[in-house]
Amino acid sequence: MKDKVFAKPIEKQFEFDEEVASVFDDMLNRSVPFYKENLNLQIDILKNFLKDNDKVYDLGSSTGTFLINLAKKSEKKLNLIGIDNSLAMIERAKNKAKAFGVDVKFIEADFLDYDLTNSKAIIANYTIQFIRPLKREKLIKKIFNSLKDNGIFLMSEKLITEHKKLNKIMIDIYYEYKKKMGYSEFEIAQKREALENVLIPYSMNENIQMLKEAGFKEIEVIFRWNNFATFIAFKN
């Protein structure tokens, strides 16, 4: 279904409700540059580190795309668990997993409170940016503590750029990208207003510093386009 959520005047801040869930796959593919390519890159890297029975969590798993694709591409027997606090997202993820015939568990829960211990890998694609800064550092520390030795954390985030002029240029470039993907200026402005104070991005350096302070020592950027980036962090 095509994303038309912001084609009408907004009445509330952005939330992952039934309306958003029904068009979320289209929204991601048209709003997040190289979304499919980035997910495939993450999976191709991650599967080299996984062994049979490893536990992999996807935080803010939405419609389950990451874990379903990982299940399809991996030759290992993995314990794959997606967590999302949106029931509408969980229901769609379960239906997709069933349709593809893959063994992935999807749980409606708040991952801030959920027990993630003994994880080999934890994934958070465009999720941490929605966590309030005061809780964000605690969550990253929890993720570090929940990983087994040699565990992996994959985190994709929208970024701000510290150079003010460059930051504005990059935002303008991103808006032009969204126009090319079929969004009107009205839709772009509406979504920006709805996300105000809901999506709070950090800079590249702030994200790396947050990961280091949580305990991660080896951190690499495996993808970046404009103001979007994916980090891989190793617990060792």
Side-chain angles (χ1 to χ4, degrees):
M1 190 178 298
K2 193 169 184 180
D3 173 23
K4 289 290 184 183
V5 172
F6 297 101
K8 59 185 184 299
I10 58 171
E11 298 176 353
K12 60 182 179 179
Q13 284 188 316
F14 184 84
E15 59 182 89
F16 296 98
D17 54 14
E18 173 63 35
E19 183 181 23
V20 170
S22 67
V23 298
F24 195 63
D25 288 344
D26 181 63
M27 182 182 288
L28 283 176
N29 289 328
R30 293 168 63 208
S31 299
V32 181
F34 301 101
Y35 178 72
K36 289 181 179 179
E37 293 85 350
N38 185 19
L39 257 59
N40 285 329
L41 173 64
Q42 292 179 52
I43 290 168
D44 288 343
I45 291 172
L46 181 61
K47 67 182 184 179
N48 288 280
F49 293 94
L50 298 176
K51 298 179 180 177
D52 283 336
N53 302 313
D54 274 343
K55 188 185 294 185
V56 180
Y57 281 104
D58 185 3
L59 309 185
S61 51
S62 64
T63 62
T65 300
F66 183 92
L67 292 181
I68 289 169
N69 286 346
L70 176 58
K72 287 163 60 181
K73 295 182 79 170
S74 177
E75 298 176 357
K76 306 289 194 307
K77 181 177 175 56
L78 303 171
N79 186 4
L80 304 177
I81 305 162
I83 301 175
D84 203 293
N85 63 2
S86 168
L87 179 59
M89 292 289 193
I90 291 294
E91 291 301 323
R92 277 167 174 74
K94 288 179 177 178
N95 289 337
K96 278 172 65 174
K98 185 176 181 180
F100 282 108
V102 294
D103 185 15
V104 184
K105 183 186 295 183
F106 291 101
I107 300 169
E108 181 195 3
D110 185 345
F111 54 72
L112 292 169
D113 303 319
Y114 198 85
D115 183 6
L116 305 171
T117 52
N118 295 316
S119 305
K120 174 61 179 181
I122 296 175
I123 319 301
N125 279 315
Y126 309 106
T127 300
I128 305 301
Q129 61 199 24
F130 289 102
I131 305 300
R132 289 290 175 189
L134 288 175
K135 294 182 178 180
R136 199 174 300 189
E137 284 76 9
K138 291 181 181 178
L139 173 60
I140 301 301
K141 185 65 176 178
K142 174 185 175 178
I143 288 169
F144 178 82
N145 291 334
S146 298
L147 287 167
K148 297 163 65 175
D149 289 344
N150 299 313
I152 295 167
F153 178 43
L154 278 163
M155 180 180 79
S156 299
E157 290 282 282
K158 192 174 183 182
L159 305 174
I160 55 172
T161 302
E162 292 168 344
H163 188 288
K164 289 184 179 180
K165 183 174 181 179
L166 178 60
N167 190 58
K168 183 183 183 307
I169 292 169
M170 294 175 84
I171 290 171
D172 290 344
I173 289 170
Y174 174 53
Y175 285 168
E176 286 301 317
Y177 167 87
K178 294 183 78 171
K179 288 179 188 177
K180 289 177 183 176
M181 298 303 288
Y183 286 111
S184 68
E185 290 192 13
F186 179 77
E187 288 175 293
I188 294 168
Q190 289 278 100
K191 187 172 184 180
R192 182 178 185 181
E193 184 177 343
L195 285 170
E196 191 75 30
N197 298 320
V198 176
L199 190 164
I200 304 173
Y202 283 4
S203 70
M204 176 77 78
N205 290 334
E206 286 173 329
N207 278 301
I208 291 173
Q209 187 60 33
M210 177 174 64
L211 291 166
K212 286 181 176 178
E213 288 177 357
F216 293 104
K217 292 183 174 61
E218 289 188 274
I219 302 158
E220 299 287 347
V221 177
I222 59 170
F223 169 86
R224 178 160 187 178
W225 182 89
N226 200 8
N227 48 1
F228 292 83
T230 297
F231 306 82
I232 188 167
F234 297 90
K235 179 179 180 178
N236 48 23

